[in-house]
Every structure is written in C-alpha cells, then in structure tokens.
Amino acid sequence: MGEETLINIFVEESEEILEELEIDLIQLEGNPQDDELINKIFRSMHTLKGSAGLTGLTDIADFVHHAEDVLDKIRNHSLQINYEIISLLLESRDIIEAMVKQIFNPEYHVDQQKVIEISTAFKFFLEAPVSNQGAKDFVEEKQKLSEEDSVYRIKLKLNNNLFETGTDPLGLIKELSDFCDVLDINVNLSRIPEIYELNPEGCYLTLTIFVKTSDSLKRLQDVFIFIEFYNEIEIEEVTEDFKDGLDQTLAEKLTGEILVERGIVEEEDIEEALEEQNRIGEILSKRGKVSKKQVEKVVGEQTKVRNIKEKSSIKVDTYKLEQLMNSMAELVISQAKVRDLVFQFHNNKETEFVTAFDEVDKRIKDLQEEIMKVRMVPIGDTFIRFKRLVRDLSKKQGKEIALEIKGKETELDKNIIEQIADPLKHMIRNSIDHGIELPEEREQEGKNRVGKITLSAYHKEGSIIIKVVDDGAGLDKDKILRKAIDKGIVNREDKLKDEDIYQLIFAPGFSTAQVVTETSGRGVGMDVVRSNIERLRGTVNISTALNQGTTFKIKLPLTLAIIDGMAIKVGEENFIIPMNAIYEFIQPAPEHLKTVKGKGEVVKVRDNYITLTRLHSLFNIEAKETDPTKAIVVVVHDEGKKTCLLVDEILGQQQAVVKSLEDNYTYVEGMAGATILGNGNVAMILDISTIIKMALR
Amino acid sequence: MKESKDNTMNILNQQLTNISAENQFLTFKVVNEEYGVDVLRVQEIIRYIKPTEIPNTPEVMKGVINFRGEVIPVIDLRKKFGFDFGEYNEFTVIIVLEVEDKIIGVIVDQVSDIISFSTEDIQDNLEFGSDIDTKFIKGMAKVEDRLIMLLELERLISFENFKKINNLDTNMVLAEENQEKEEQDEL
C-alpha cells in the first residue's frame, strides 16, 4: 500500500473518529460517571495516535499522546472529570482536526500557540497529585469492578433431602451477601418433577449464583463447608468475562449456552430442545424448564451487550445511494408511463393484465420505501453537536444556558439532515445571542439563572417538525418594526399582523443585535435560514412572548425525493397535491356556499365553515368549471389551518418524483416543485402550506 | 416546407455535437432581427412544445418543460425583447442553453445556422438607436449583408431578478412590471 493511500485512509478515518469524539466528550460532561463512554473516548484517542504514528504523522501522534495519557488517568479514576478537562479535551480535539485538515490543505492554519498551551495544560493534569478520595467515592457509587475484585460463579446442585438437614439455601445466600456483592442468582427449575411425583418436603433446586468479592476463594468455600458432602458445589472464577459490569462473552453466545452457564437449565435440556428446531428459549419455557421471564432476562442482557458491541453495518458512498435514488426516481416515472398505457389499452377481458400491473406497482412501492429507509438517519447526532456550540458561546457571553434535546431518535432523510444543520445552528445562535438574557437580568425577572434552549424533533402528518425553543426575552415587536422601517424593509404605513412582524427577522439585511458579535454576524444569518428551509420545501414559523421566550418551528417534508400525490386538473393544467395535505373531497350543495362580506367565499363542511380558494383565480388561469357545486372541492390542511381548493377534476393518485424548480429556475411561491408525468409532460406540485397562506391574505 | 425546416434543426444539432472552437455562434431570428448565442452554451435545439405554466410568474416565463428528465424553465424571447407574443408555428424552436449553471430554454422564431466570426468581425462598442434594449447585447457582427446581435446570456437571463419577482408580494411584482412597462414606454 502506498503512502498516499495510507494517508488518505488516515484522514478519512480520523474525520470520522473526531466527529464521534466531539459528541462523546459533550455527552461525557453531562454523564461523567459513564465508564463505558470514557473507555470509548480513550479508544478513539488511542486509535488516532496509533494510526497517526503508523502513517508517519508524528506531530499528530505526539499531540494525541498527551490527551490519551490524561484519558488514561480518568479511566483509572485518578483524575476527575470537570469543566476544564472537558474544555481542554474538546480544544485538543479541534487542534487534531486542524492538524488533519492541514495534511491536504497546507494553507490551513494550526494555532501553534494553542498547541503549546494545551500540551502544557495536559502536563499539568498529568502531574497533578492523585486524588484518592474522589476516586474511591467514584468506585463505590458505581459499584464497578476494581482491580482486586473477582467474580465467581457458584453452582449449587442441592440434594433432594437438603431440608432434612435443617439447611436453608436462602441462609447461605444471605451469608454470601455479608461479604460479597451478589450480582445475579438463577434457579434451574428442571429438576422439579410433575406434581404427582412431587415430594413437598424435597428440595429440587439448582442455584447458580454470581458474586463479586474482594475476599479469597477460601472464604467463599467456607460458606458451603457444611453442605459440601451431600451436595454438588462448583465454584469457578469468571472475573475475565465480567469486565465493565456486563458479561462480555454474552454477545457471541447462543441463548442456550447462556442459559446453561447461568445454571438456569442443564445441557441435556438444551440438546433435547434443539432437536425440535425452534427458538430455544421458547421451547424451554413452554416445557416449564425455565420460566419465560428467565429467558427474557438473559436474552435482554444478550441484546444489550450485542448492541454495545457494535451494530453490523457497512459503509456506503453517499454518491452510490444518490445513484440508487435516481434510478428509483426514473423507475417511478417509467412506471407512470406504463400505467397510462395499461389503463388506456386494457378492456375488460384483460383483467389479468391489470392485476399483473398492480402487482408490479406494489413491488415498486415497497422497493421505494426500502430505499427511502436506507437514507433515513436519526437526527440525534446533529442535535448533540449543538451542545458544543451552546457550551462555547454561553461561556463566551457570560450566559448560563442548558440545552435540552428531545426526540433525537427521530429519523429523516440524510440530505435533509445535512442541509438543516446550518439553519439550526443559526437559530440556536440567535437564541443564545438575542434570546437568553444574562444571568443577573434573568434573576431580576424572577427566572432561573440558567436559561434553557430546547431542541426537539418529531413526526407529524407525514412531515417532520423541529423546534428551537428558548425561555429568553422574547422578540420585541416594536423594536423589530422600527428597525425594519429604518432599513426600508417595510413602509411605515404598512399594516402588519404580529406574525408578519416577527417574520421580518428573516428579511435580508435585518439584524436586531445591539452589538454585532462574532457569531450573530451581520444579519446574514436569518435570511439564509429561511431560504435554506424553503429550498428543502419546508416552512419556519415564529411564536414569541415577551419575557417568556421564542419558539422557532420548522416543518420539513419527510423526504425530498418522491411523494404520494393526487393529480388534479384546473383548466388545461395538471397539478399534484401531496396526499398528506388532503383532508377530503366534496362537491358542495348550493346551500352550503356562502359569501361573507370582506372575507370571501366559504363552504359549509358538516358544521364548519371553511374558506373557499378558487385555484384558478389564485393562479390566474382559465378554469373549465367555476361553479363549486359542479366542480370538485378538495379540503386541504396544514398546521391546523384548512381551506377548500376549487378544482375542475380529480385525475387520480400517483407517485411523484419531486424535481426542484430551483435547480434550473428559482423558488416560486405556492409550488413545492414539479414532476414529470407518465406522458412526459410536467406538472406542478402544490405547496399547501404556502397556498393556504396565499389564500388567507 | 416543414421537411426542410426539420433538416435545418437536425443538421445544426449534429454540428453542435462536434463544436469546440471559440467565437462560433448559433444564430436565430426573433421578429425580424437576427441574434447569436455562443454555441458552447447551447445544449440542444428542440422543436417547440407547449410548456406547463407556472402560476404567478412573469409573462415572459412561459413555463417549464421536461428536457432529458430535468424540469427546465422556458422563456419567450419575443416577449423578453418587448414584442408581443407571436404565433408558435413549425419554425418555432426552443434553444436549450446553459446559464449560470442552470439549464433554460428560450423560444425563438426560427434557427438559422452556425457561424464563426473572427474577433475583428465583432464590434462591441455599440451605439444603438431606439428600438432595442442594449443591455443584453455584447456585440454585433456583420456577415455579408446580415447584421447579427450577439447576446450576453447572463444579462439576458437574470435568475436574481426572477427570484426577486417570485419571492415578493404581489405589490412588488406589480411595481416591477410597471417599471418594466415604463422602461419600455421610454424606449
């Protein structure tokens, strides 16, 4: 392998590690007792050092070395985690990142001053006296294994006549717990005979006890000294398998093996069960050899360890995914073409033809869903990364801010996640800079010194909602309006609704910051935020209350590529309405139509009046049918708002591959994009959320 | 007649694929004037098809078409140059161009041919009379007795402008349209 490729691999690998490292460090700060995490961070640093050394990048290796040493000390509990250490580790992470970037970008600047500072700081921590007290508390709190502790497995196959000797097995366990930490006790029920053979005074138990102790094996054996003649007792040391408090061997083992090892069943039972070729746990529990709970417990533990031990996955180039997606999109378009032909040419005799097509249709839909799923990733990592931002910025501005994260498991299209990260960053910055007040001010307002920013994500009606909520000062309506007038963004005479005023902060060239800070920039942030979100076919809304805080609510489509739509016709043009926006279709009776003065037309749908939006007037096109009682009304909804769209005709449901208008043109209000129909023509896809806005204004 | 027309288009498309030299221009007619665009910017010449309208866009924006699986906008050059819309007939073609990394179609009355000019043939300090907006024109070339106006595509098609128009309130669009009208009135 050439040196070039080696370096390439190193750069690629370290980028990934560094990304993880940032998240892990931030999480460690909130969770300093997490040994698993400390180990992971240590391993990351270790890998970095190793591969840097291997690649001949000695300055990186040397630098990482210090960080690794400090982490080693943390791992041994001889150094306690605090704010400074986390900061230092984060900064060193940044330096490593800069060093890695410099490999291919010689112009990339690595702050040498900072390198020296950090190295010195590391040395300070390394030479600091070991704080034993802290370390001890730490161990006790976590009940983790220290060097001296050993884990033993004690298997007691108790004699049927045990009770006659006056021995109580429970007493033995109690005695054990006097000097041991009893980790787990499992009972093998397989010796219990059928009820008619059962001797009520007999003892049929086989116990397997896992204990952890710093005492000797001898001490353990002493406990069983009185029963060892008539009972089978095996004591085995299993410390090696029990590192990190979990049985590390579980991951590779079969459920059956574990059950045997834990003493829940005997090997013969397993073999017997295996002959039936079924899920071993199920069979055993069915046969009453083990209780269902017992099986669930070991399986649960096994899953836990397996999860920790890395999920099985492969890395795929995003470009390949992109290609796959494009082919899928082409397939959907071609399929639309075939569908048109099928329905054009088939007659009743050829129902088989149609059935076969439906079959293909279904398969394609399934395939498409699967491909979509491949692209879905949880938003958690993106969210957690913002903790760093909040941490650094709040420190810099003398503010105290906690970032709360909700719904980090919410999955969305990878492309969307990548493109939403930046706008989110701006919004969080905005909340830190302009939202959250200084601690003293907050106290004066009777609020908690520590401000809170909440980031949450959830699915709703086929869309994804992301919220950035702060409990800061809220937006000052008058101030925004004054500023907007000053900047000539609006006219003094304009009558603006509160909502519209808040939206002004997204206007180009607008910034309410008293002081232009390094982060808030010069008002470039927020207008980019809105245009980025619009490019993703999303919307952003603001709600705010003075002194209570501000909420940014972003609504995004689940995926950018293909949507389920309903094709409709107005005049000569076809349009697609996204299915998830459609509430129902109606043909109103004449008595259900009313014209409200100053408000336009409304339709009575059951007991509600909903505004009627004539698509042809909204779009300035000719419609074939302008009488709502003869045309079709589509009730659409978004964010709790509804309107009735008047259309000429419903053409039917279809999949639509979304082509952005911005690729070759620009954003057009009310349009979510365009799609290519089966016949090769183009149809516009309506953006219901903006259409409702347009209709109501 | 139609036959011969089809041939022109096919021949030109054929030539387009073999072009590499600079200063070659595809020439076409709008109303009675002849214009040229840099051939390197031309993707293809296609026969006129009716575009799908995009609601609430300026009049010159005729809509969008499907070009090799992409959705591209199409503008009418007659309208863009301040004339009334013409009738679309068998000579009408859409020239697909690349402008600012985007693909866009322009509707013209008729394509003529591909001509090479030497730099000396192109006159770029232009003083025009009144009948044409000069900001789209980067130069003028004279071939025999034909006068060909060479178009500056970035000026002709400004996505920034489209963006402004589409993003603003109806008021603003009207204002813009009024302004355009005024400009035309002035001319």
Side-chain angles (χ1 to χ4, degrees):
Chain A
M1 200 181 289
E3 203 162 295
E4 271 303 284
T5 32
L6 212 63
I7 290 178
N8 273 330
I9 292 171
F10 170 74
V11 170
E12 201 173 296
E13 189 187 61
S14 36
E15 272 166 3
E16 212 167 281
I17 292 175
L18 287 166
E19 209 167 280
E20 262 179 41
L21 202 57
E22 182 166 33
I23 295 171
D24 291 343
L25 283 169
I26 287 290
Q27 283 191 318
L28 184 65
E29 182 165 38
N31 221 349
Q33 313 280 325
D34 192 339
D35 284 2
E36 190 65 44
L37 201 56
I38 296 172
N39 277 327
K40 193 176 167 219
I41 294 168
F42 177 78
R43 279 197 301 270
S44 300
M45 283 288 187
H46 186 78
T47 315
L48 270 178
K49 188 190 76 175
S51 23
L54 195 70
T55 325
L57 300 160
T58 43
D59 46 341
I60 296 183
D62 287 348
F63 184 75
V64 179
H65 183 75
H66 297 301
E68 194 196 347
D69 284 349
V70 167
L71 280 164
D72 196 34
K73 249 184 150 177
I74 294 170
R75 204 164 63 130
N76 298 331
H77 306 305
S78 56
L79 190 64
Q80 253 184 320
I81 293 164
N82 56 29
Y83 183 86
E84 280 74 34
I85 290 186
I86 296 284
S87 300
L88 194 62
L89 287 169
L90 279 171
E91 279 172 38
S92 61
R93 186 214 82 99
D94 295 348
I95 294 279
I96 300 166
E97 191 177 36
M99 285 172 155
V100 171
K101 276 194 180 144
Q102 205 181 24
I103 298 172
F104 286 127
N105 271 335
E107 285 133 65
Y108 204 88
H109 179 69
V110 177
D111 188 347
Q112 291 303 332
Q113 188 64 33
K114 199 106 201 184
V115 173
I116 296 164
E117 262 172 46
I118 291 174
S119 304
T120 323
F122 274 140
K123 276 195 197 111
F124 169 78
F125 279 113
L126 286 170
E127 282 151 19
V130 176
S131 69
N132 269 326
Q133 189 50 41
K136 209 167 197 179
D137 292 350
F138 196 82
V139 172
E140 271 165 23
E141 209 170 318
K142 285 293 283 181
Q143 294 202 327
K144 278 284 162 102
L145 300 181
S146 77
E147 304 278 290
E148 310 85 45
D149 280 347
S150 306
V151 178
Y152 295 97
R153 180 173 61 216
I154 305 160
K155 192 166 174 189
L156 303 174
K157 194 165 182 185
L158 299 172
N159 191 315
N160 288 13
N161 305 320
L162 182 77
F163 293 136
E164 289 172 22
T165 65
T167 313
D168 181 5
L170 210 57
L172 294 169
I173 295 168
K174 277 198 183 122
E175 201 180 329
L176 279 175
S177 64
D178 283 342
F179 66 97
C180 299
D181 197 350
V182 179
L183 298 173
D184 198 359
I185 302 173
N186 293 302
V187 184
N188 181 342
L189 304 171
S190 59
R191 275 166 59 217
I192 299 176
E194 294 294 347
I195 190 91
Y196 50 85
E197 287 174 352
L198 187 98
N199 172 7
E201 285 175 2
C203 173
Y204 299 101
L205 299 176
T206 304
L207 298 176
T208 305
I209 307 161
F210 288 83
V211 296
K212 187 180 78 182
T213 179
S214 52
D215 267 325
S216 63
L217 181 62
K218 181 82 174 54
R219 177 89 172 79
L220 271 180
Q221 284 165 338
D222 283 352
V223 174
F224 304 103
I225 197 156
F226 295 109
I227 59 162
E228 67 182 345
F229 285 109
Y230 301 103
N231 299 283
E232 286 178 43
I233 298 162
E234 288 169 35
I235 303 179
E236 196 186 338
E237 197 187 325
V238 289
T239 316
E240 270 305 297
D241 294 344
F242 262 78
K243 262 186 221 146
D244 300 328
L246 271 172
D247 191 341
Q248 295 294 313
T249 59
L250 286 187
E252 294 97 9
K253 282 178 185 163
L254 298 169
T255 314
E257 267 178 75
I258 301 163
L259 288 170
V260 172
E261 200 173 284
R262 290 291 168 97
I264 296 164
V265 292
E266 291 297 337
E267 230 163 329
E268 301 89 287
D269 297 324
I270 299 284
E271 269 157 32
E272 209 179 313
L274 270 178
E275 278 164 23
E276 296 205 24
Q277 285 294 321
N278 210 325
R279 284 297 285 275
I280 195 133
E282 271 167 42
I283 302 160
L284 288 169
S285 82
K286 218 182 274 166
R287 294 184 156 211
K289 302 270 181 186
V290 292
S291 78
K292 198 152 188 189
K293 254 198 180 144
Q294 286 176 321
V295 178
E296 273 163 16
K297 194 178 151 216
V298 291
V299 171
E301 250 180 89
Q302 187 185 23
T303 325
K304 206 165 136 197
V305 179
R306 275 188 185 160
N307 282 345
I308 290 170
K309 281 227 161 175
E310 250 179 282
K311 288 175 190 158
S312 153
S313 59
I314 55 164
K315 268 203 275 184
V316 182
D317 194 340
T318 40
Y319 175 74
K320 283 188 192 166
L321 266 181
E322 218 53 49
Q323 290 297 104
L324 191 63
M325 201 59 224
N326 287 344
S327 304
M328 188 66 230
E330 297 297 323
L331 181 61
V332 170
I333 294 173
S334 322
Q335 182 214 11
K337 193 180 291 176
V338 178
R339 192 214 334 264
D340 283 359
L341 292 174
V342 167
F343 289 101
Q344 200 177 322
F345 291 115
H346 97 283
N347 52 46
N348 290 337
K349 281 175 199 157
E350 289 158 354
T351 44
E352 268 178 50
F353 200 35
V354 177
T355 323
F357 178 76
D358 284 345
E359 179 86 18
V360 174
D361 198 75
K362 194 178 166 296
R363 295 277 173 270
I364 290 179
K365 230 175 234 177
D366 290 349
L367 182 63
Q368 184 198 324
E369 247 168 57
E370 293 300 320
I371 293 176
M372 291 297 194
K373 267 191 221 149
V374 175
R375 297 159 52 95
M376 302 292 258
V377 286
I379 198 163
D381 283 359
T382 313
F383 275 7
I384 290 165
R385 216 160 295 155
F386 292 130
K387 283 203 166 172
R388 174 87 193 268
L389 180 80
V390 173
R391 186 181 187 277
D392 293 356
L393 282 187
S394 51
K395 177 94 180 169
K396 209 174 273 176
Q397 302 185 10
K399 291 176 180 174
E400 290 172 30
I401 305 172
L403 180 70
E404 194 182 328
I405 286 168
K406 286 180 186 164
K408 62 180 177 213
E409 65 292 333
T410 309
E411 291 196 328
L412 60 164
D413 194 292
K414 191 170 167 16
N415 275 352
I416 299 183
I417 288 196
E418 276 165 9
Q419 291 177 58
I420 201 67
D422 238 25
L424 276 179
K425 194 157 103 185
H426 276 297
M427 273 186 252
I428 294 171
R429 280 179 167 178
N430 191 70
S431 290
I432 299 171
D433 290 351
H434 315 308
I436 306 282
E437 315 90 326
L438 290 164
E440 301 74 47
E441 288 171 35
R442 290 181 65 86
E443 273 175 347
Q444 273 170 24
E445 290 288 336
K447 295 199 233 178
N448 191 336
R449 276 180 73 83
V450 182
K452 194 163 94 179
I453 297 176
T454 311
L455 256 181
S456 57
Y458 54 92
H459 287 237
K460 196 185 169 198
E461 292 162 358
S463 299
I464 285 153
I465 312 286
I466 300 176
K467 276 188 186 172
V468 182
V469 184
D470 71 60
D471 67 348
L475 296 177
D476 187 338
K477 195 173 68 187
D478 301 327
K479 209 162 106 189
I480 293 173
L481 194 57
R482 266 202 313 276
K483 183 124 187 178
I485 293 169
D486 284 352
K487 298 237 166 191
I489 298 168
V490 288
N491 291 324
R492 204 171 292 273
E493 308 84 58
D494 288 350
K495 285 268 176 289
L496 292 173
K497 279 186 248 160
D498 286 3
E499 237 174 272
D500 299 331
I501 296 174
Y502 299 137
Q503 286 285 338
L504 287 174
I505 68 166
F506 291 120
F510 188 92
S511 165
T512 51
Q514 302 279 2
V515 188
V516 173
T517 65
E518 173 190 341
T519 48
S520 306
R522 296 177 187 276
V524 272
M526 293 310 259
D527 65 316
V528 176
V529 166
R530 188 171 61 180
S531 58
N532 280 2
I533 291 170
E534 276 170 357
R535 189 173 315 140
L536 294 169
R537 302 206 315 274
T539 53
V540 53
N541 283 310
I542 308 174
S543 56
T544 180
L546 212 55
N547 283 328
Q548 285 172 34
T550 308
T551 300
F552 290 104
K553 185 175 174 192
I554 305 166
K555 188 178 169 191
L556 294 168
L558 210 52
T559 171
L560 293 174
I562 302 177
I563 60 158
D564 257 325
M566 181 60 75
I568 56 128
K569 198 164 192 176
V570 182
E572 290 296 304
E573 301 287 1
N574 291 347
F575 295 95
I576 306 281
I577 303 177
M579 283 304 279
N580 60 15
I582 299 178
Y583 195 74
E584 62 183 325
F585 303 95
I586 49 170
Q587 193 162 42
E591 64 269 27
H592 289 153
L593 290 165
K594 293 217 160 52
T595 307
V596 182
K597 213 177 168 193
K599 293 262 179 194
E601 295 168 287
V602 291
V603 185
K604 188 178 179 192
V605 183
R606 283 179 288 274
D607 283 335
N608 296 314
Y609 285 97
I610 305 174
T611 53
L612 178 73
T613 307
R614 292 171 177 266
L615 266 192
H616 62 94
S617 350
L618 195 66
F619 290 165
N620 295 314
I621 49 181
E622 289 277 318
K624 276 206 196 91
E625 192 52 75
T626 53
D627 179 357
T629 58
K630 290 189 181 121
I632 297 269
V633 160
V634 187
V635 185
V636 290
H637 65 111
D638 177 72
E639 298 281 292
K641 289 179 190 151
K642 279 186 193 168
T643 191
C644 294
L645 298 180
L646 182 69
V647 306
D648 285 356
E649 212 183 314
I650 303 287
L651 300 172
Q653 197 179 337
Q654 75 169 83
Q655 300 269 293
V657 178
V658 185
K659 305 269 181 184
S660 161
L661 282 178
E662 276 173 292
D663 284 352
N664 291 309
Y665 185 48
T666 65
Y667 170 77
V668 179
E669 196 178 30
M671 302 299 138
T675 192
I676 294 169
L677 301 172
N679 59 11
N681 286 342
V682 179
M684 291 290 143
I685 302 170
L686 303 185
D687 174 7
I688 295 303
S689 115
T690 1
I691 292 214
I692 291 179
K693 267 188 214 148
M694 287 161 79
L696 297 180
R697 113 178 135 212
Chain B
M1 195 64 196
K2 197 176 175 181
E3 277 295 295
S4 73
K5 171 72 216 105
D6 276 351
N7 278 341
T8 325
M9 201 180 87
N10 291 339
I11 292 164
L12 289 177
N13 270 327
Q14 187 62 42
Q15 286 180 22
L16 275 172
T17 55
N18 299 324
I19 271 165
S20 59
E22 276 180 43
N23 277 342
Q24 292 216 33
F25 289 81
L26 174 72
T27 63
F28 54 85
K29 270 190 181 155
V30 176
V31 189
N32 291 318
E33 301 292 345
E34 217 174 337
Y35 300 88
V37 288
D38 188 344
V39 284
L40 297 176
R41 309 289 288 277
V42 180
Q43 300 263 321
E44 199 177 328
I45 306 159
I46 52 179
R47 216 166 317 149
Y48 174 79
I49 47 171
K50 193 187 169 301
T52 301
E53 275 179 49
I54 314 176
N56 297 328
T57 44
E59 257 189 315
V60 324
M61 173 56 59
K62 288 298 289 178
V64 285
I65 56 164
N66 167 11
F67 173 70
R68 302 182 192 159
E70 288 229 22
V71 173
I72 67 162
V74 174
I75 64 166
D76 188 294
L77 274 196
R78 268 183 182 249
K79 194 74 199 169
K80 181 78 198 171
F81 291 156
F83 300 104
D84 283 335
F85 286 117
E87 206 179 294
Y88 299 125
N89 56 25
E90 73 268 27
F91 294 112
T92 312
V93 295
I94 298 173
I95 303 176
V96 182
L97 300 164
E98 198 192 313
V99 185
E100 289 177 27
D101 287 333
K102 298 186 180 198
I103 311 288
I104 187 166
V106 293
I107 302 173
V108 304
D109 290 350
Q110 188 176 349
V111 271
S112 319
D113 46 20
I114 291 171
I115 308 179
S116 315
F117 301 118
S118 61
T119 324
E120 301 90 71
D121 291 339
I122 304 172
Q123 185 194 339
D124 52 10
N125 51 339
L126 299 170
E127 303 253 339
F128 276 103
S130 58
D131 64 338
I132 192 141
D133 188 349
T134 55
K135 69 180 178 195
F136 314 140
I137 313 291
K138 79 170 162 201
M140 185 98 105
K142 208 171 172 216
V143 184
E144 287 149 25
D145 54 348
R146 290 157 67 190
L147 205 59
I148 296 161
M149 282 171 273
L150 308 179
L151 296 175
E152 180 78 274
L153 291 176
E154 273 71 21
R155 294 231 184 105
L156 178 71
I157 296 155
S158 159
F159 290 100
E160 273 309 304
N161 261 346
F162 285 139
K163 206 175 194 167
K164 265 187 220 150
I165 294 167
N166 292 327
N167 270 337
L168 295 178
D169 290 344
T170 340
N171 294 340
M172 301 294 271
V173 177
L174 286 178
E176 190 102 2
E177 274 172 12
N178 283 339
Q179 203 189 340
E180 262 178 35
K181 237 179 230 154
E182 278 165 27
E183 274 172 21
Q184 282 167 24
D185 288 348
E186 275 171 33
L187 295 170

